[in-house]
Amino acid sequence: MRILILGGTGEARELAAVLVAAGNDVLSSLAGRVRDPRLPEGPVRIGGFGGADGLAAFLRAEGITAVVDATHPFASGITANAARAAATAGVPLLVLRRPEWDADPAWEAVADIRVAAVSVRDWPGDSVFLTTGRRDLAAFAADDGHGFLVRTVDPPDGPVPARMTLIMDRGPYTVAGETALMREHGIGLLVTKNSGGPMTAAKLRAARDLGVRVVMVQRPPLPEGSIVVATVPEAVRWAGRQGTGSISE
Ligand SMILES: NC(=O)c1ccc[n+]([C@@H]2O[C@H](COP(=O)([O-])OP(=O)(O)OC[C@H]3O[C@@H](n4cnc5c(N)ncnc54)[C@H](OP(=O)(O)O)[C@@H]3O)[C@@H](O)[C@H]2O)c1
């Protein structure tokens, strides 16, 4: 059995660590978007496959017998490609997705980043905290009516808002730290994506405590028919059922 883990998340690294420690043949894949990525244990390849067809060819050429899509909940392109490629190549596919954050009735839930930008544009306050990632900054670039505190892992490389203060950081974050940051910058509105997980959840608690309004971008839907688990142990058990390898938890 040879397992491909599509990664770029903490869950992908945890899964690789467990499967490698149990002596399995595992290959992790990263997109190569982050300059200095946290690398999983075991063999790693970096870079795109060239669409769904490229990924299907890769699965065949590498003798991959199972794929776990443990990519970020908003990485919908690779998730769609994985579904198509796995079907084409006849390889079983599991989606490992951490649960969403529990919805707070005070949040404004929006379908995508463009709707979030419209909501911000219409907001009468001044200071906005954006944690939606550097590639989503373009949606806010035309908004010169607000000041934006922007937090990203790597520097932005596309259009950005005119009035922007940039912080580069990757978490995990604490409630005390997030509270201090939002106070320091006089934040009245937080825009974030429903990524889920504990690493970046502190800002939501801080926002609630400070009375900061929250615009929450909802997750894109998964491909129809996806088999989904929420935790690494469930993914390990699924992998164990795909072959007779030495998988254990
Ligand atoms: N989107 C986010 O908010 C976010 C946040 C944290 C981490 N990440 C991680 O960053 C990576 C890129 O995210 P994205 O939103 O740019 O992805 P995306 O829009 O879904 O994918 C765009 C393209 O990047 C390549 N790609 C993406 N993930 C890959 C992987 N794990 N291995 C090899 N190629 C990959 C694929 O290129 P080809 O078509 O050439 O194969 C894919 O078509 C993902 O692996 C994701 O887990 C994303």
Side-chain angles (χ1 to χ4, degrees), residues 6-9 29-31 33 45 47-51 70-72 74-79 81 132 135 193:
L6 299 170
T9 60
S29 175
L30 301 178
R33 290 277 159 73
R45 52 122 5 242
F49 299 98
T71 58
H72 189 270
F74 283 83
S76 55
I78 187 70
T79 290
N81 289 351
T132 47
R135 286 191 306 133
K193 301 195 280 196

Side-chain angles (χ1 to χ4, degrees), residues 2-247:
R2 181 158 162 75
I3 305 167
L4 176 68
I5 301 174
L6 299 170
T9 60
E11 292 79 17
R13 288 190 296 276
E14 279 174 44
L15 179 62
V18 174
L19 294 179
V20 167
N24 295 284
D25 185 2
V26 175
L27 174 62
S28 291
S29 175
L30 301 178
R33 290 277 159 73
V34 176
R35 259 193 214 163
D36 180 23
R38 292 173 173 146
L39 291 175
E41 287 182 35
V44 180
R45 52 122 5 242
I46 298 181
F49 299 98
D53 292 343
L55 179 51
F58 180 90
L59 297 179
R60 291 197 180 105
E62 287 286 325
I64 301 294
T65 56
V67 180
V68 179
D69 171 4
T71 58
H72 189 270
F74 283 83
S76 55
I78 187 70
T79 290
N81 289 351
R84 278 182 47 210
T88 304
V91 173
L93 169 68
L94 180 74
V95 179
L96 169 57
R97 278 289 178 287
R98 67 180 84 128
E100 293 184 324
W101 290 313
D102 289 338
D104 183 324
W107 295 345
E108 181 192 355
V110 295
D112 58 38
I113 201 74
R114 275 169 209 75
V115 184
V118 170
S119 178
V120 172
R121 194 193 59 204
D122 295 342
W123 181 60
D126 182 54
S127 295
V128 181
F129 185 18
L130 277 186
T131 65
T132 47
R134 66 183 170 138
R135 286 191 306 133
D136 287 327
L137 287 177
F140 302 89
D143 185 340
D144 49 12
H146 296 98
F148 289 91
L149 174 66
V150 170
R151 186 167 63 198
T152 58
V153 175
D154 282 325
D157 53 6
V160 298
R163 290 169 54 209
M164 177 180 85
T165 303
L166 179 67
I167 305 174
M168 282 191 283
D169 203 349
R170 69 190 340 176
Y173 305 104
T174 63
V175 175
E178 299 288 62
T179 303
L181 183 70
M182 288 195 224
R183 272 211 183 105
E184 182 191 339
H185 292 270
I187 297 298
L189 173 62
L190 165 69
V191 185
T192 184
K193 301 195 280 196
N194 198 332
S195 302
M199 289 261 293
T200 57
K203 62 191 168 195
L204 300 171
R205 172 73 192 281
R208 200 179 58 205
D209 293 350
L210 293 171
V212 167
R213 180 175 162 185
V214 175
V215 172
M216 182 65 70
V217 182
Q218 302 302 106
R219 291 182 178 187
L222 286 168
E224 210 170 306
S226 297
I227 299 169
V228 190
V229 296
T231 65
V232 169
E234 289 171 282
V236 172
R237 284 195 288 276
W238 177 88
R241 292 196 296 273
Q242 306 313 307
T244 53
S246 54
I247 289 181

